[in-house]
Amino acid sequence: MLDDNNQARETLERNLSELKQTQDMLIQSEKLASLGKLVADMAHEVNNPLMIISGKAQLSLMEELKNKKIKENLKVIVEQCERTKDIIQRLLTFSKPSKGALTEIDINKSLEDAIKLIEHQYSLANVKIIKNYMSSPPAIKIDEKQMQEVFMNLLKNSSDAMPKGGTITVSTCKETNNIRIDFKDTGEGISEENIKKLFEPFFTTKEKGTGLGLSVCYGIIKAHNGELKYESKPGKGTTATILLPIRGGKT
Ligand SMILES: Nc1ncnc2c1ncn2[C@@H]1O[C@H](COP(=O)(O)OP(=O)(O)OP(=O)(O)O)[C@@H](O)[C@H]1O
Ligand SMILES: [Mg+2]
């Protein structure tokens, strides 16, 4: 009898905690949707004057300019406009992910291509990458270029979280109708408070971070009808999980 009671209480507690998680997720995705709209409107509005500033500066640079200082200043204006253009582009990927070229790919191979680019550099920083791929993955239709950007961002975040080195375990498996990809690191972890802010544009805890990496990833995964989830224990490490539907790619 006591056992039955305990079991019932445990089930109830588990259900409540799942309910709370779902509720949190809904609040979070609504918040991101309204933030996305604001960002898209703002990016659009800022883009036009920015193009005019950059264009005028470039035209002035074509003139015979005797004053070196003015020439230098114009060059700085053009450079900074380019930087702003890049930030706006990333913000638009978060709020209005564009439809790219969809191709049928092997997820293991795609991960391997991304990892190859950074593996050597990471090993010099004592970051080891362990691979745990499923055998014969089902083909999946994705925008490979965009997905590679997601992989690179997640790998970079993991390595940033391990300044003294550690391991990143990259695994793939099939989970119901999805392909699941996990990036598990042994880094500093993320506090519960910060986990809620991960996908917000400009949220960063890094001195030189822009806080746009995960906003971009979120937009790309959403465009693929997928999910990006985080689990973390401060001091122990973080797991980033991507779920991609096997049928029913990008919208
Ligand atoms: N694997 C991880 N371990 C610990 N913290 C993480 C991890 N991934 C993300 N974070 C936290 O989330 C924040 C936001 O990540 P995001 O990639 O969006 O921006 P960033 O890495 O700070 O800057 P950048 O625009 O250069 O990517 C990080 O600053 C960091 O605090
Ligand atoms: Mg990042």
Side-chain angles (χ1 to χ4, degrees), residues 18 20 23 69 80 87 96 108 124 233 236 245:
E18 276 169 15
K20 172 93 180 59
Q23 195 187 24
K69 190 81 196 137
Q80 294 303 313
I87 294 176
K96 277 191 185 165
N108 296 347
L124 296 178
K233 284 209 174 72
K236 290 250 156 60

Side-chain angles (χ1 to χ4, degrees), residues 22-37 94 218 222:
T22 314
Q23 195 187 24
D24 281 355
M25 248 172 66
L26 279 175
I27 293 173
Q28 176 69 357
S29 64
E30 265 191 31
K31 192 173 151 192
L32 288 175
S34 49
L35 199 58
K37 187 171 174 338
F94 159 69
Y218 177 85
K222 214 173 130 207

